[in-house]
């Protein structure tokens, strides 16, 4: 029995080591490269739009500061076309699955299928449209959202702050990297390009103050009663 227990412990340790090594064997491309013909300046622009989604939909410094922008880079020359934005909506709805990415996907579905909107797509046309879109989110997606991104079949998924950084800043996370979710989704027909840690110098501050009372609030916010709030908000 003792030998069997030791063997089981060794097997668990070996499996854990394999998972950790596999994660380290999936390096991401330098986010400053012009991947898929999109220059870094354009990536930075849309990541700022993902950050701005917080102010547009919630506040400049919500506790769950997860913002998303969904963009069409195939709509012509220039920066591309904004289809929709989303922000973490758990606090306002009570729905624990409404992370920023899920909220944005829901919003885009409504925009794409609205009979009075610019697209007026059928359900099947809207579903197919996601394969031409890029999702920008200011923090790496949890495995639920990363899986939703793969099921949607986005052309690209671009994130800012990494899960590792969120953990370092005190955030509770399910420790499965997006790269690992993508590596396990090879059976899906649509391919999604993953681009990570874009503009982290601007996304990281949105997640640095919640568990560190000494850290400065994001731009446009100030410390009030141990938290950050929009300036001028009583």
């Amino acid at each position: 029995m003792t030998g069997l227990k030791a063997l089981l412990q060794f097997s668990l340790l070996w499996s854990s080591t394999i998972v950790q090594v596999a994660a380290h064997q999936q390096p991401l491309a330098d986010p400053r490269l012009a991947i898929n013909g999109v220059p870094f300046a354009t990536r930075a622009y849309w990541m700022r739009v993902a950050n701005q989604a917080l102010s547009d939909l919630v506040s400049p410094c919500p506790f769950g500061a997860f913002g998303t922008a969904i963009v069409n880079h195939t709509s012509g020359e220039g920066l591309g076309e904004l289809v929709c934005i989303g922000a973490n909506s758990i606090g306002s709805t009570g729905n624990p699955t409404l992370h920023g990415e899920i909220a944005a996907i829901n919003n885009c579905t409504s925009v794409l299928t609205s009979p009075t909107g610019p697209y007026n797509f059928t359900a099947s046309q809207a579903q197919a449209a996601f394969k031409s879109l890029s999702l920008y989110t200011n923090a790496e997606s949890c495995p639920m959202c990363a899986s939703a991104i793969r099921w949607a079949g986005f052309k690209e998924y671009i994130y800012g702050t990494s899960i590792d950084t969120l953990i370092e800043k005190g955030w509770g996370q399910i420790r499965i990297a997006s790269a690992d979710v993508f590596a396990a989704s090879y059976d899906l027909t649509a391919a999604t390009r993953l681009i990570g840690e874009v503009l982290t110098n601007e996304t990281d501050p949105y997640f640095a103050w919640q568990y560190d009372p000494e850290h400065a609030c994001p731009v446009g916010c100030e410390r009030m009663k141990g938290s950050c709030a929009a300036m001028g908000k009583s």
Side-chain angles (χ1 to χ4, degrees), residues 29-43 156 193 195:
D30 187 329
R32 295 168 296 180
L33 299 175
I35 296 172
N36 287 340
V38 179
F40 174 74
T42 299
R43 300 290 187 197
E156 298 177 324
R193 181 62 189 262
I195 304 169

Side-chain angles (χ1 to χ4, degrees), residues 22 28 30 48 56 73-74 85-86 95 100 117 122 135 137 173 177 186 197 200 212:
L28 300 180
D30 187 329
R48 292 185 179 111
D56 292 343
H73 283 302
T74 66
I85 57 175
N95 184 339
T122 64
L135 184 145
T137 183
Q173 293 290 300
Y186 54 81
E197 300 190 43
T200 54
D212 182 357

Side-chain angles (χ1 to χ4, degrees), residues 37-57:
V38 179
F40 174 74
T42 299
R43 300 290 187 197
Y45 174 87
W46 290 114
M47 189 59 71
R48 292 185 179 111
V49 172
N51 282 336
Q52 182 63 33
L54 302 173
S55 295
D56 292 343
L57 299 174

Side-chain angles (χ1 to χ4, degrees), residues 9 17 42 47 60 64-65 70 80 82 113 118 127 133 174 187 230:
Q9 290 176 336
T17 302
T42 299
M47 189 59 71
I70 295 179
L82 178 65
T113 59
Q127 187 175 5
L133 303 180
I174 296 176
D187 285 332

Side-chain angles (χ1 to χ4, degrees), residues 8-9 13-14 19 46 49 59 65 70 91 96 100 116 128 130 135 143 146 172 177 185 190 193 205 208 212 216 218:
L8 178 60
Q9 290 176 336
L13 178 61
W14 176 253
V19 169
W46 290 114
V49 172
S59 87
I70 295 179
T116 59
F130 283 105
L135 184 145
S185 67
R193 181 62 189 262
D212 182 357

Side-chain angles (χ1 to χ4, degrees), residues 4 44 48 74 91 106 121-122 129 132-134 152 164 169-170 189 195-196 198 201 203-205 211 214 217 222-223:
L4 180 60
R48 292 185 179 111
T74 66
N106 287 345
F121 285 168
T122 64
S132 299
L133 303 180
S134 299
D164 287 346
K169 300 299 182 183
T189 55
I195 304 169
V198 171
N201 60 307
T203 62
D204 285 359
Y211 300 100
E214 302 301 321
C217 293
E222 59 186 347
R223 284 280 176 184

